[in-house]
Each structure stands twice: as C-alpha cells, then as structure tokens.
Amino acid sequence: MPANRAVVYEGPGKVEVHTIDYPTYELKDGPGVNKLNVGRKVPHGAILKTVATNICGSDQHMVRGRTTAPQGLVLGHEITGEVVDVGPGVEFIKPGDVCSVPFNIACGRCRNCKEGKTGICLNVNPDRPGSAYGYVDMGGWVGGQAEYVLVPYADWNLLKFPDRDQAIEKALDLAMLADIFPTGYHGCVSAGVTSGSTVYIAGAGPVGLAAATSAWLLGAAVVIVGDLNEERLAQARSFGCETINVAQGDPVEQIAGILGSDWSAIGEPLVDSAVDAVGFEARGHGADSDVEQPATVLNSLMQLTRAGGAIGIPGLYVTGDPGGVDEAAKVGSLSLRLGLGWAKSHSFVTGQCPVMKYNRNLMMAILHDKVQIAKNVNAVAIGLDEAPQGYQDFDQGAAKKYVLDPHGMVPRRAA
C-alpha cells in the first residue's frame, strides 16, 4: 500500500505535510470527524490518486484561525484525480478514469440531492445539511490535499473526463471544476447575469476572477471587479474587466464613473447584477479599508445594484468565527441594511454552490477551448511540499491560484 502524504492544519498560521493513513472504505476517527460518522462503511466509494488539489480561500479562513477547525485536520476540498480502486458497490466508475470531484459531498439519494441541491445533502453530515472534504463542521471526510483520497458515492459524485490524455493535458484548467469555476458561475447565475448585463464583482481573488470569467461566458456587456489588491486587479484587467480599488473610495462613485450615463432616477449606477466573492473577512472602503467590517460588501452591493436586480453570494459566511470583530460577528450575525435590499426588491442567493449543476457544461467549455479559466485566475502548479509556502504567499495576497501537484502529473502553463 503506497504512502500517503497530506497537508495538515496545525494551528493558526501553520500547515505542515505529514504522512497519513492510506484511504480505506470505512471512516475512522480523527480530527474533525463527527463521532456519528466513525465506522461508517463506504462500499460505494472510490480511491483516487490525486492529480491536482487546489489551495482555496476557504481553506485560508481555517488556516488563519478564523473558524473552529481542529488542529490535525487534513485540508483540501478541490480535487482532481485518477481512480486507482473502487468499492464493491461502484458500478460505472473504473480504475484508470480521470475525474473531477465536486467539493460538495452528496449521496444522490436524499430529497435535496434529487432536487439538484447537492450542497445541502441530508445524509453525509450528522451535524447539518451539506458536507465537503477536509473542512470544518462538514462531517470529517478526509481532505484531498494528499497523494490519495477517498470519494464516497463515486458513481454519483465523480465527473469522468471523456479522454484521459486530454484531461492530463488540460489538468490545470480542469482542476478549477472542483470548486471555483462552478462557484463563480453559480454566483453569476444567481445574480441573473445574461447577455448585455452590467456586473459588479466584489473581490479579485480566485473565486472573484472565476466569477468574472463566468460573467463574460454568460454574455455580460460590462464586468467590473473591485478589490484592495492592485496585483489581483491587474489580473482581472488582463482578460478585459474594468476594475476599481475600493481603498480609494466608495465603490458606488467609482462604478458610476465607469458606467457613465447609465444612471437611475435616484442617482445610483444601474448595475444589473452583483456578486459577493469576499465573504465574512471583508474590510471597509476608502479610509476604512484597513479595518475589518464583515457586512461592508453585502451592504455596498445592495446600494449599487439596481432596483429589481439580483445579488449572488458565493463568498463564505460562517456560524462560528473566533476572530470576529465583535460578539455578534463571532456567531455570524452581521449588521445588514436589509431594509434597503427589501425596498429595491433585490433577490439574494447564498450557500454552497451545487457544483454538479454546472460542472459538466463548464468541462465542455474547457475541453472545446471556449474559456481559459487557468490563465484568468493565474493558476500555478506547485509540489505538495511547497504547500506551506503556497499558503503563506496566498495569505499575503499573491494574485495566483495555487494548484498542488502531488505526483508531478500537471503540465506547467507557459507564462
């Protein structure tokens, strides 16, 4: 049985690479594992050799100590892999298949799964609906920033790529299907982006850049991306986005300068759609840009979205934040101008992206060269041992999407 090395959370600001158990078809006790899941049999599972596994901003929240994640948790929910073994209950997935793994763990049997709401499966996490690999309060399924990983309900969860050689050739792009590309796309679909839309995306991290890419794919006329980080804003401009630096002032006024005469009768820019790709660690705007204000993005989006518009919220918000700015924020309670959103008849969509709703079509867009998602998010492949440095650089604002390559299978993208 091969060794299995993995990236492990060792406390705020610290990750290390350790040898962990090779996957089996039974859940074992360990850091973050729900006790009701210990001993759970997984005959419907498959064991994958990891081809690519990405560092996500959601992982970074845990590594910063901004969640209740326990020390020793194996990280990683963005997984692409090659099947090396299947359980006795697997019928269609075969060893040798190269597949994308949706970050949502879903059974395919419950009411929510049957309705396509795979982000809130009822059967995989005893604590609450919804689960993911290597994530706090998600049932304790072992993370995929490892050489090998177990995927339950393999026939249901795995998206098999049609051609193995093509999949390896495009691995850097296809690696984005596990989370950020569908998540950004979901944010735009939730916000009603369509042909001719004007769109504002808060946040130029990987999810925000994936959302901007998705907005173009959906036919937007104008895509504006806001952030505090000039390097990330330059990345957004590299594929045609307008940008604003929210440290330089109110985003409403800056967006008005971009949209020109496209104003409403009450003096607000008519952005049709807005996407929150920041989440609960948001900072203020202008003079307050160095101060954490967790409701800032949501409140600004209600202000700058036209009456009757929609707001997609793929940015992460949590129910437990030990580092929250006040007692309310520590339990996920924010001071929202909900009255403004109500008065403008805004619609809001929150929660995990149901990856399976989008990943097959987005796969086809990648395979047929209709989109260059790896280039747009500046995806960079690094070795597993480079993960601690990757986490550190990402935390410091590097305009890159780090893709861990445990077995040296990912072709490097030309600069």
Side-chain angles (χ1 to χ4, degrees):
M1 192 172 293
N4 190 23
R5 300 168 67 245
V7 180
V8 178
Y9 171 63
E10 292 292 356
K14 186 177 182 182
V15 298
E16 295 179 351
V17 179
H18 294 306
T19 297
I20 64 171
D21 291 340
Y22 187 83
T24 66
Y25 297 108
E26 179 179 329
L27 291 190
K28 300 176 181 178
D29 200 2
V33 178
N34 189 295
K35 300 306 179 185
L36 295 176
N37 265 348
V38 175
R40 183 172 182 165
K41 303 295 192 295
V42 192
H44 42 70
I47 296 172
L48 273 61
K49 176 182 179 180
T50 303
V51 173
T53 177
N54 315 334
I55 297 175
C56 180
S58 299
D59 298 321
Q60 201 72 61
H61 292 307
M62 290 188 289
V63 173
R64 291 189 188 118
R66 294 299 299 269
T67 72
T68 55
Q71 182 175 338
L73 184 73
V74 178
L75 299 169
H77 57 271
E78 299 188 15
I79 309 162
T80 306
E82 179 180 7
V83 177
V84 295
D85 192 64
V86 297
V90 177
E91 184 176 1
F92 304 110
I93 292 294
K94 306 297 182 186
D97 291 343
V98 178
C99 305
S100 181
V101 184
F103 79 89
N104 325 108
I105 300 174
C107 73
R109 297 154 164 81
C110 70
R111 174 181 178 175
N112 284 348
C113 283
K114 290 178 179 179
E115 293 177 355
K117 301 171 184 175
T118 53
I120 43 175
C121 174
L122 301 174
N123 289 329
V124 288
N125 182 0
D127 279 337
R128 64 188 187 195
S131 189
Y133 304 87
Y135 208 82
V136 60
D137 296 331
M138 288 292 184
W141 299 86
V142 176
Q145 287 175 14
E147 293 175 311
Y148 297 90
V149 64
L150 172 69
V151 174
Y153 305 102
D155 281 328
W156 168 252
N157 282 307
L158 291 176
L159 174 65
K160 176 184 172 182
F161 299 130
D163 180 89
R164 184 188 189 282
D165 291 342
Q166 185 187 30
I168 297 301
E169 178 187 350
K170 292 181 173 288
L172 208 56
D173 288 282
L174 294 171
M176 303 305 128
L177 291 174
D179 182 354
I180 68 163
F181 196 9
T183 292
Y185 194 86
H186 177 61
C188 288
V189 170
S190 301
V193 178
T194 188
S195 301
S197 295
T198 54
V199 185
Y200 175 64
I201 295 165
V207 171
L209 296 173
T213 301
S214 300
W216 289 130
L217 198 58
L218 287 162
V222 181
V223 179
I224 306 168
V225 179
D227 204 287
L228 301 161
N229 183 317
E230 279 295 341
E231 186 180 359
R232 289 181 170 180
L233 291 173
Q235 185 62 31
R237 289 192 294 272
S238 75
F239 58 97
C241 300
E242 302 281 355
T243 62
I244 62 171
N245 187 326
V246 296
Q248 296 176 1
D250 189 340
V252 175
E253 296 178 1
Q254 295 188 66
I255 289 170
I258 293 170
L259 295 180
S261 61
D262 194 10
W263 286 67
S264 75
I266 56 173
E268 292 185 348
L270 292 176
V271 176
D272 299 309
S273 306
V275 177
D276 175 2
V278 178
F280 73 105
E281 287 192 70
R283 296 187 177 275
H285 299 146
D288 293 329
S289 62
D290 60 346
V291 179
E292 186 169 316
Q293 296 181 354
T296 299
V297 170
L298 291 172
N299 285 332
S300 69
L301 296 190
M302 286 186 278
Q303 186 178 3
L304 57 83
T305 302
R306 68 174 177 85
I311 300 171
I313 311 174
L316 178 66
Y317 289 87
V318 295
T319 57
D321 173 14
V325 295
D326 52 36
E327 292 305 310
K330 289 179 180 179
V331 293
S333 181
L334 309 182
S335 181
L336 295 178
R337 292 188 65 191
L338 190 58
L340 176 60
W342 188 93
K344 296 174 75 174
S345 295
H346 286 156
S347 61
F348 302 82
V349 176
T350 66
Q352 289 186 33
C353 164
V355 171
M356 294 172 70
K357 183 175 180 179
Y358 309 106
N359 63 352
R360 184 173 297 276
N361 286 349
L362 295 177
M363 172 189 75
M364 296 302 288
I366 290 170
L367 294 180
H368 291 276
D369 299 318
K370 299 301 181 184
V371 66
Q372 294 182 302
I373 184 65
K375 181 180 179 181
N376 288 3
V377 302
N378 198 19
V380 177
I382 61 176
L384 195 67
D385 288 319
E386 298 174 82
Q389 186 64 50
Y391 269 96
Q392 182 177 334
D393 292 347
F394 189 45
D395 190 49
Q396 292 175 352
K400 296 178 180 179
K401 175 67 173 177
Y402 289 105
V403 177
L404 303 182
D405 179 12
H407 297 281
M409 299 176 72
V410 180
R412 269 36 180 181
R413 180 169 59 88

